[in-house]
Amino acid sequence: MQISDLPYRDPGVPDARSGPRFLVWLGRGQLGGQFKSLCWGLLHFSGVAGLPYTVGMGIDAVVDRDSTRLLLVGGLLALLGVAISVGDAMLHRTAVTNWITAAARVQQLLARKTAELGSALTRRVAAGEVVAVSTGDVEKIGWFVEAVSRFLAALFSVVLVCVGLLFYAPELGVVVGIGVPLVALAALPLLPRATQRADIQREKAGKATELASDTVAGLRVLRGIGGEELFLGRYREASQEVREAAVRSARMWALISAIQVLLPGALMITVVWYGAGLVADGRIAVGELVAAFSAVATLLYPLRHFEEIAMAYSFSRPSAKRAARVLSLTRTDAAERPPAAAAEAPAPGGDLYDPETGLLAAAGRFTAVVCGDPDLAGRLAERLGGHPTDTAADGPSVLLGGVALDELALDTSRTLVLVQDKDPVLLSGTLRELFAVPASGAVGAGAALAAAQCADVLDALLQSAPDGVEDPMDARITERGRSLSGGQRQRLALARSLVTDPEVLVLDEPTSAVDSHTEARIADGIAALRAGRTTVVLASSPLLLDRADRVVLVHEGTVAAAGTHRELLHREPLYRAVVTRETEDEQRLDRVELAQLEALTEIEESA
């Protein structure tokens, strides 16, 4: 896999049972890249491992005054230099490729899972954790995948040096052969504690990120109530906890690094001291001592990769665990239905029916739904789109034309039914890019913008656009539309939903942030543009309800009444209380007046 080939056509189905299993699955998916990196690493580290023996041979050639052998050693050194240089360059290239491709695969998997779960994701996983997984954790996972091949090549070079010394200088080779494994494994007892401290640091960093995300999202409200300093103080405390945890983790890794420097130095001193005695006794040549010394000095380089792989695994394991937790989520508590078992899409023109609440949205009609509980309205909107919440995952599925939505393939159900929640998100880019969404093609951007009453939004975008931009469709929208007001963002999101022209459009409070005059015009625009298409609007505004063909009142999870807006106002006190925001005293007075009116009617009829 080359970087130019990214993104993957299909990132695959991950093994998300645990963090280590996910890392193994990710590594298996890049065996080709790992093999290339390993081969170049072997070339590089073999060249490094061959330097000590070549230098020793050169020393012996000088001592023996053998110019032919010295010339041969010079050529061998040049060859080793080429191998080291080429191997190092290509090792770095292939290793970085492995890193980037692994990170890209994880990001694609997370993006696919986010699209699959929709708004249900942030109810099951904290938003800060999602941000941490998709940013820092992705890099740490890629780091471990990239470090594996370099570690294996470094391990090979260590074994090669030790075995070579056993044949080249057996007396010193035994010392090096015993000392090197001790040096390599000396830090092993400290790794569990270092890993534990790294886990604590990651956990605290995730909580701090979540707190920061929540604070930024609610900054406008916090300013309104004067709560910025309170939440800023909480973030300071969380930030200090992260700093203290990072310092404790860094101390442990500093101790491990110190051991990796101290013990090889002690081994080098031992080799030189023991080797000098052997040279003095005439048991080995000077070249053999120089070769042994150079070999131990050379081993410091590959031994650093032992520390790196330990750090990479310690840092990536909790990251992989978090990624696996997100990737293991499904739309419902049951496993996702395989594509082969997916039902066929229903014929156009079917009614939308929710067996749980009894709500029926007739095909081709404008149906308004009134719920006294905003949370109930949000859950109902998700059910109508085939995305039940965890608490309602075991309930009966919503039917479209008699076909259960959860039996359809995910792409099919989302093409048929589009749900716009009460807090839609605008991505950064031009307005033209915002409307580049899957659509039927029957509704143009101009008609959708007009129906959503976006004329002032277009003017505002054009005024803030750089010089030379004449078409408002080429004007840029900032991240999440922060440069626009809440009402302007809401209307642009509504226009984007209208452009898609799905068979069924479900809107949750689409006009909650606009004034009454604009709301009335939007209601007329929706009714006109969606004529002959099934539209369900969850709202409590009389202006929207009055334009609906049919209004349904949902109370305590079931349909309590249905009719036109004016009919329900006259005969349903509960509906009137929700729509007109009557207090309990006013509702009690209405019930008394209604009872008196009914009694008076009965007297008149009996007379």
Side-chain angles (χ1 to χ4, degrees):
M1 185 71 180
Q2 300 295 324
I3 297 177
S4 59
D5 298 328
L6 295 175
Y8 287 94
R9 291 184 179 274
D10 180 12
V13 180
D15 186 349
R17 289 176 290 178
S18 66
R21 288 178 181 271
F22 178 65
L23 290 175
V24 171
W25 174 85
L26 203 58
R28 284 205 313 265
Q30 295 184 208
L31 289 179
Q34 294 284 6
F35 181 73
K36 289 180 182 179
S37 183
L38 178 60
C39 290
W40 289 115
L42 291 176
L43 176 64
H44 170 67
F45 283 106
S46 296
V48 173
L51 284 177
Y53 310 112
T54 308
V55 171
M57 291 170 57
I59 296 295
D60 288 338
V62 172
V63 172
D64 297 340
R65 299 181 181 276
D66 188 342
S67 58
T68 303
R69 189 156 38 121
L70 185 62
L71 184 62
L72 179 63
V73 168
L76 186 57
L77 282 175
L79 184 62
L80 291 176
V82 172
I84 292 173
S85 300
V86 174
D88 187 30
M90 297 305 297
L91 172 62
H92 177 75
R93 187 176 187 274
T94 54
V96 171
T97 300
N98 289 335
W99 186 341
I100 294 176
T101 50
R105 185 190 292 269
V106 177
Q107 286 179 328
Q108 279 188 255
L109 291 170
L110 291 171
R112 186 174 68 182
K113 182 59 65 174
T114 302
E116 175 187 323
L117 295 176
S119 60
L121 175 63
T122 52
R123 284 198 304 273
R124 304 168 72 176
V125 181
E129 184 170 352
V130 176
V131 173
V133 170
S134 57
T135 53
D137 286 342
V138 167
E139 294 185 4
K140 294 178 179 63
I141 293 172
W143 177 27
F144 174 74
V145 173
E146 172 261 340
V148 169
S149 56
R150 287 191 289 111
F151 163 72
L152 293 176
L155 177 62
F156 172 79
S157 70
V158 170
V159 173
L160 186 63
V161 169
C162 293
V163 173
L165 274 178
L166 287 175
F167 288 95
Y168 187 75
E171 294 87 349
L172 292 177
V174 172
V175 176
V176 174
I178 295 174
V180 168
L182 294 178
V183 171
L185 302 176
L188 196 60
L190 300 177
L191 288 180
R193 181 173 294 183
T195 301
Q196 181 182 13
R197 292 189 179 186
D199 290 348
I200 294 174
Q201 178 194 353
R202 295 294 175 279
E203 181 181 356
K204 291 184 179 295
K207 292 180 179 178
T209 303
E210 179 183 350
L211 178 60
S213 176
D214 293 342
T215 302
V216 171
L219 189 59
R220 181 174 297 182
V221 177
L222 291 176
R223 287 175 176 173
I225 62 177
E228 307 104 305
E229 289 300 324
L230 174 62
F231 276 81
L232 184 60
R234 292 181 181 177
Y235 182 74
R236 285 197 187 101
E237 294 177 1
S239 179
Q240 289 302 313
E241 291 180 1
V242 174
R243 183 188 64 80
E244 293 172 0
V247 170
R248 288 194 294 270
S249 178
R251 286 173 181 168
M252 185 57 64
W253 288 111
L255 178 59
I256 293 175
S257 298
I259 292 175
Q260 294 292 327
V261 174
L262 176 63
L263 294 185
L267 177 61
M268 187 180 301
I269 293 174
T270 302
V271 169
V272 172
W273 173 77
Y274 180 62
L278 294 177
V279 171
D281 295 339
R283 297 168 59 184
I284 63 172
V286 176
E288 293 177 337
L289 174 61
V290 172
F293 171 80
S294 301
V296 175
T298 302
L299 286 177
L300 295 179
Y301 170 55
L303 283 176
R304 285 203 299 267
H305 291 78
F306 285 65
E307 177 189 356
E308 182 192 14
I309 194 65
M311 291 184 65
Y313 179 73
S314 299
F315 280 82
S316 65
R317 189 177 63 84
S319 298
K321 181 180 178 181
R322 281 196 293 264
R325 184 165 60 248
V326 174
L327 294 175
S328 63
L329 299 175
T330 57
R331 281 201 297 166
T332 62
D333 292 339
E336 193 69 30
R337 188 182 304 274
E344 294 184 1
D351 296 337
L352 185 69
Y353 176 65
D354 179 19
E356 182 170 310
T357 60
L359 172 64
L360 175 67
R365 305 294 296 278
F366 183 176
T367 303
V369 180
V370 176
C371 296
D373 183 2
D375 293 334
L376 174 61
R379 292 194 298 269
L380 178 57
E382 291 185 355
R383 277 190 52 79
L384 295 177
H387 319 302
T389 59
D390 295 342
T391 57
D394 294 330
S397 172
V398 172
L399 305 177
L400 178 61
V403 179
L405 288 181
D406 63 0
E407 293 182 358
L408 297 172
L410 182 60
D411 293 342
T412 303
S413 65
R414 290 195 170 176
T415 301
L416 294 173
V417 183
L418 173 67
V419 178
Q420 177 183 300
D421 59 25
K422 56 172 61 69
D423 296 313
V425 175
L426 300 181
L427 302 179
S428 60
T430 64
L431 190 58
R432 195 182 308 279
E433 293 170 341
L434 178 68
F435 286 91
V437 293
S440 67
V443 178
L449 289 166
Q453 301 298 310
C454 294
D456 62 315
V457 185
L458 299 180
D459 293 339
L461 289 174
L462 199 56
Q463 290 176 3
S464 61
D467 295 339
V469 177
E470 299 180 355
D471 189 349
M473 297 298 292
D474 295 326
R476 292 195 63 82
I477 300 174
T478 56
E479 180 189 2
R480 299 178 68 90
R482 298 189 188 280
S483 60
L484 303 173
S485 67
Q488 290 174 328
R489 290 196 299 270
Q490 193 175 58
R491 282 178 282 161
L492 280 181
L494 174 60
R496 178 180 57 188
S497 298
L498 293 174
V499 162
T500 62
D501 188 39
E503 182 174 337
V504 179
L505 177 62
V506 181
L507 304 172
D508 187 4
E509 293 289 355
T511 58
S512 59
V514 301
D515 59 80
S516 58
H517 298 289
T518 305
E519 185 178 30
R521 293 195 295 270
I522 290 176
D524 292 334
I526 294 176
L529 193 63
R530 294 285 301 173
R533 306 287 271 174
T534 306
T535 307
V536 181
V537 177
L538 292 95
S540 58
S541 168
L543 294 173
L544 273 175
L545 300 175
D546 193 41
R547 267 70 172 182
D549 299 324
R550 184 170 181 262
V551 180
V552 178
L553 172 64
V554 177
H555 180 61
E556 296 183 351
T558 58
V559 172
T564 65
H565 170 61
R566 299 179 187 272
E567 291 174 352
L568 294 178
L569 273 180
H570 285 89
R571 63 181 173 86
E572 291 294 336
L574 181 59
Y575 176 84
R576 184 166 57 252
V578 174
V579 173
T580 62
R581 277 76 168 178
E582 288 183 347
T583 63
E584 292 183 1
D585 292 338
E586 291 173 335
Q587 295 178 39
R588 192 180 302 110
L589 182 59
D590 286 343
R591 286 194 292 270
V592 172
E593 292 178 350
L594 182 60
Q596 292 175 349
L597 181 59
E598 291 177 349
L600 182 60
T601 302
E602 291 178 358
I603 293 173
E604 291 177 351
E605 290 177 352
S606 62

